[in-house]
Amino acid sequence: MDETPREPGAPTALAVGLTAAIVAATGEEPRVLVVRTPHGADALPSGPLEAQHRTLEAGLRSWVERRTHQTLGYVEQLYTFGDRDRRETDGEGAQRALSLGYLALVREARTAGAADASWQSWYRYFPWEDWRGGPPEAIAALEPPLREWAAQGGKLGEERLRLNFGLGGARWNEERVLERYELLYEAGLVPERVRDRKEGAPLPEKVRGVAMAVDHRRVLAIAIGRLRGKIKYRPVVFELMPPSFTLSELQRVVEALSGVRLHKQNFRRLVEQQGLVEETGESRAETGGRPARLMRYRREVLVERLAPGVRLPAMRRG
Amino acid sequence: MDETPREPGAPTALAVGLTAAIVAATGEEPRVLVVRTPHGADALPSGPLEAQHRTLEAGLRSWVERRTHQTLGYVEQLYTFGDRDRRETDGEGAQRALSLGYLALVREARTAGAADASWQSWYRYFPWEDWRGGPPEAIAALEPPLREWAAQGGKLGEERLRLNFGLGGARWNEERVLERYELLYEAGLVPERVRDRKEGAPLPEKVRGVAMAVDHRRVLAIAIGRLRGKIKYRPVVFELMPPSFTLSELQRVVEALSGVRLHKQNFRRLVEQQGLVEETGESRAETGGRPARLMRYRREVLVERLAPGVRLPAMRRG
DNA sequence: TCCCATATGCTCATTTTGAGCAATTCAGGG
DNA sequence: CCCTGAATTGCTCAAAATGAGCATATGGGA
């Protein structure tokens, strides 16, 4: 690994694979590309790392493009998983598997290349993450079993619950997607946990979300959390937008990703003040109301601002 | 890697190693644990991934603790590198090596366990990153060759330069450590590039920084950038502080990490208003001036605040 | 023509920053 | 015992950013 291995013995040889959360935004929904395993489970596209590419990212791109006929825009490495107990089917002596998780953003959500691939709203897997229409029903349904679980863990568990699910007056933090999922996992409320440990989870799918193969829901949780954080200080939303769009369309995509409703006038003030967009000169009617100006992304903002991104002027009351 | 490999063929078997940037803060300096290779080069501690641990992080901890006799506090995965041309010595058919980079924070900088390990200020490797005493000399020395290089690349190169090095009036962004290092690498101004491509780099060590083995300086750059960003919204600085400390000591550590001077009164206002610390009741003289109150970290801040961390009220003028 | 549904403009109170002046409080020296 | 130096603390004030909400503009259709 090093020019000078400090410990005797060569590096361990491992099986390494890639898993990609490929995200688009169409029709007010944040979508992720999922495939279906022969067992009928939803899964993220994943496959082996190929040796012939110069960089990991290049390998990911070529593999995804070949497999899904999607051209990837923005690509970001998320996390490398290496838990030994990741592969359920293997015994103690199994070779350790390593999995590199990636987030990729694509502009157009074509109906996929492979026949078994489809675009799904990511809230299908995380129903408790969508607060656009007020506190989601899933939260109400999850609260009692969560509280029960937390009570056993004592003070610490209750604080985690409060912090992550915004229960005891604490504010909802839309970025803590992974923390919430892991808490639900620990509490035995998601089917993956049942699959892994054979405990009971009598919750309906609308509450606990649709399960995914292996740890793919965890990868997706990381992807969502990262993206929700990143749009605030990097202009990555525009990777999901068409070349020209109205401010309302932009707002709806940001709301879809972050899962919260935003204050319209303040949203446009922020976006325009930061210089993230400029008018194209054209406008579009279609909505039934006053026609909206069409805008386009201003690349120059990158050199002008330290942290150009879409702040979230959330609706607090009303 | 998946229950159902979508492409024929098993996952590639790879050699996987760990590289750790182990950071402490002592005596006004941010320090990193470095070892020396037989070739005499500085390197981060690195070694093979061991199969017997349940998680990657557990493997890292046990390996570092065995090797350096340091107990790790906070640990965070940084990035996984897999560039095929990473191992200089190998030819085309070489097995690809994967390297997992980690950041770890330790409270006390003991003089290391292994005889060949030592704590070094990280500015030894990145002299242009330390703006505590005003614009560093390294920047002045790097500017001409950088501009020359950028001029060849046209508009785009010049904008990158402006953005990353805060040259044409743009503000210095202390988080872009990796971007700056990579820009210098591309411009052929750091010795690693020379080693890799045999080009000339006539700059003194005080300007271009001390080189490190393989891509370790890149790993360290990522570690510094991540830490600089993270202290702003997560209370990670306290992982580097003793149990009780004065506000000035805290400020000096934050300044050491971020590489900028902060406005004293505003710094304390922020830290106290956020509820990051509380008084222990004791105070400490020693400094020659008015004795300072001793403070301790308040864990409760985690549940009270969405993003508890040390904002940087930088000195602009004065 | 009137109405509906948006888009857009603007105001105002509140908070959060950025800067800097001033008072406090110890140790030490005359 | 008083004065001075060196920090630590306390406070003030203007400027900028944020949170909320009212008011106006402008198209398509009833």
Side-chain angles (χ1 to χ4, degrees):
Chain A
M1 249 291 29
D2 194 11
E3 288 176 316
T4 61
R6 318 293 314 172
E7 311 270 329
T12 332
L14 298 182
V16 179
L18 300 172
T19 304
I22 302 170
V23 171
T26 53
E28 322 255 313
E29 281 302 308
R31 299 193 188 272
V32 60
L33 192 63
V34 301
V35 296
R36 203 161 259 275
T37 72
H39 301 90
D42 285 16
L44 296 177
S46 71
L49 173 63
E50 293 157 351
Q52 70 268 26
H53 297 101
R54 213 185 56 78
T55 66
L56 292 178
E57 195 184 301
L60 177 84
R61 282 179 188 277
S62 101
W63 161 69
V64 168
E65 285 169 14
R66 187 152 26 82
R67 168 134 167 56
T68 68
H69 305 284
Q70 287 286 341
T71 305
L72 300 186
Y74 178 84
V75 167
E76 171 176 340
Q77 195 186 90
L78 289 174
Y79 201 78
T80 298
F81 301 88
D83 291 9
R84 213 178 40 173
D85 53 12
R86 184 159 182 270
R87 311 174 83 189
E88 312 138 43
T89 48
D90 300 332
E92 179 61 29
Q95 190 186 31
R96 178 198 286 267
L98 220 58
S99 163
L100 308 195
Y102 275 85
L103 163 66
L105 306 182
V106 305
R107 212 171 299 268
E108 41 171 356
R110 274 183 289 180
T111 340
D116 60 345
S118 67
W119 290 98
Q120 301 290 339
S121 166
W122 71 34
Y123 295 120
R124 169 181 163 87
Y125 309 101
F126 300 97
W128 56 86
E129 293 290 342
D130 186 2
W131 286 61
R132 287 175 295 173
E137 291 169 37
I139 288 277
L142 288 169
E143 186 169 346
L146 275 174
R147 283 203 185 280
E148 191 184 334
W149 168 81
Q152 296 170 355
K155 212 75 179 175
L156 198 74
E158 282 165 357
E159 281 204 342
R160 265 181 80 197
L161 199 58
R162 217 171 80 73
L163 173 62
N164 288 309
F165 283 87
L167 285 184
R171 274 242 303 269
W172 176 257
N173 183 341
E174 77 282 346
E175 292 184 37
R176 315 190 77 98
V177 187
L178 177 64
E179 290 86 335
R180 282 188 283 270
Y181 176 69
E182 295 201 320
L183 207 147
L184 288 169
Y185 186 93
E186 284 178 51
L189 298 174
V190 294
E192 282 91 340
R193 168 63 176 261
V194 182
R195 192 178 62 206
D196 292 2
R197 310 245 178 156
K198 314 287 179 231
E199 292 174 18
L203 293 171
E205 211 164 59
K206 277 209 171 168
V207 170
R208 42 147 239 228
V210 171
M212 294 184 108
V214 230
D215 57 0
H216 287 190
R217 199 143 60 135
R218 213 145 69 94
V219 176
L220 183 53
I222 297 180
I224 296 173
R226 271 280 246 296
L227 187 52
R228 283 183 171 182
K230 206 134 202 173
I231 53 175
K232 295 179 190 166
Y233 60 92
R234 278 292 95 158
V236 282
V237 222
F238 301 104
E239 301 281 345
L240 299 172
M241 303 296 295
S244 76
F245 47 83
T246 70
L247 288 177
S248 293
E249 287 166 353
L250 179 64
Q251 179 176 350
R252 277 192 290 273
V253 169
V254 173
E255 288 176 337
L257 298 176
S258 62
V260 297
R261 279 259 163 264
L262 304 179
H263 184 284
K264 186 163 186 161
Q265 296 93 323
N266 291 344
F267 176 79
R268 5 176 95 238
R269 177 173 61 188
L270 282 175
V271 167
E272 293 192 306
Q273 263 181 10
Q274 290 221 36
L276 283 165
V277 298
E278 64 191 0
E279 299 189 43
T280 66
E282 294 165 291
S283 67
R284 166 154 48 194
E286 295 187 2
T287 51
R290 172 173 173 174
R293 294 170 297 162
L294 282 175
M295 315 296 271
R296 76 167 72 91
Y297 168 53
R298 274 186 75 243
R299 282 172 195 290
E300 306 88 293
V301 76
L302 279 172
V303 258
E304 294 164 4
R305 294 241 152 209
L306 276 190
V310 199
R311 301 302 180 292
L312 302 185
M315 305 277 304
R316 295 289 145 73
R317 303 169 203 169
Chain B
M1 256 298 35
D2 192 14
E3 287 177 317
T4 59
R6 317 297 311 172
E7 311 272 329
T12 333
L14 297 182
V16 180
L18 300 171
T19 303
I22 303 170
V23 171
T26 54
E28 320 256 314
E29 280 303 309
R31 301 194 188 272
V32 60
L33 193 62
V34 302
V35 296
R36 203 160 258 275
T37 71
H39 303 90
D42 286 15
L44 297 176
S46 71
L49 173 63
E50 292 157 349
Q52 71 268 27
H53 297 102
R54 213 184 57 78
T55 67
L56 291 178
E57 194 184 301
L60 177 85
R61 282 179 188 276
S62 99
W63 161 69
V64 168
E65 285 168 14
R66 187 152 26 82
R67 167 134 168 57
T68 67
H69 306 285
Q70 287 285 344
T71 305
L72 300 186
Y74 178 84
V75 167
E76 170 176 340
Q77 194 185 89
L78 289 175
Y79 201 78
T80 299
F81 301 89
D83 291 9
R84 214 178 40 173
D85 53 12
R86 185 159 181 271
R87 311 175 81 191
E88 313 137 43
T89 48
D90 302 331
E92 180 60 31
Q95 190 186 31
R96 179 197 285 267
L98 220 58
S99 163
L100 307 195
Y102 275 85
L103 164 67
L105 304 182
V106 305
R107 212 169 298 268
E108 40 172 355
R110 276 183 288 180
T111 340
D116 61 345
S118 67
W119 290 97
Q120 301 290 339
S121 166
W122 71 34
Y123 295 120
R124 169 183 165 86
Y125 308 102
F126 300 97
W128 57 86
E129 293 290 343
D130 186 2
W131 286 61
R132 286 174 295 171
E137 292 168 36
I139 288 276
L142 288 169
E143 186 169 347
L146 275 174
R147 282 201 186 282
E148 192 185 333
W149 168 81
Q152 296 170 355
K155 212 73 179 176
L156 198 74
E158 282 165 357
E159 283 204 340
R160 263 181 82 197
L161 198 58
R162 217 171 80 73
L163 173 62
N164 289 308
F165 284 87
L167 286 184
R171 273 243 304 271
W172 176 258
N173 182 341
E174 78 282 346
E175 292 184 37
R176 316 188 77 97
V177 187
L178 177 64
E179 290 87 335
R180 282 188 283 270
Y181 176 71
E182 297 201 320
L183 207 146
L184 289 169
Y185 186 93
E186 284 178 52
L189 298 174
V190 295
E192 282 91 339
R193 168 62 177 259
V194 182
R195 193 177 60 205
D196 293 1
R197 310 243 179 155
K198 314 287 177 229
E199 291 174 20
L203 294 170
E205 211 164 59
K206 277 209 170 168
V207 169
R208 40 147 242 229
V210 171
M212 295 185 107
V214 232
D215 58 359
H216 288 189
R217 200 143 60 133
R218 212 146 71 93
V219 176
L220 183 53
I222 297 180
I224 296 173
R226 269 281 245 297
L227 187 52
R228 283 181 170 181
K230 206 134 201 172
I231 54 175
K232 295 179 189 166
Y233 60 93
R234 245 16 15 192
V236 283
V237 224
F238 301 104
E239 301 281 343
L240 298 172
M241 302 297 295
S244 77
F245 47 84
T246 70
L247 288 177
S248 293
E249 287 166 353
L250 179 63
Q251 180 176 351
R252 277 191 292 272
V253 169
V254 173
E255 288 176 336
L257 298 176
S258 61
V260 298
R261 279 258 164 264
L262 305 179
H263 184 284
K264 186 163 187 159
Q265 296 93 320
N266 291 346
F267 176 79
R268 8 178 91 237
R269 177 174 61 187
L270 282 175
V271 168
E272 293 191 307
Q273 264 181 8
Q274 290 222 38
L276 283 165
V277 298
E278 64 192 358
E279 299 188 43
T280 66
E282 292 165 291
S283 68
R284 166 156 44 194
E286 295 186 4
T287 51
R290 171 172 175 175
R293 294 170 297 162
L294 282 175
M295 315 296 271
R296 76 167 73 90
Y297 167 54
R298 275 185 74 242
R299 284 175 194 289
E300 306 89 293
V301 75
L302 280 172
V303 257
E304 294 164 3
R305 294 238 153 211
L306 276 189
V310 198
R311 302 302 181 290
L312 301 186
M315 304 277 305
R316 294 287 145 75
R317 301 168 206 171

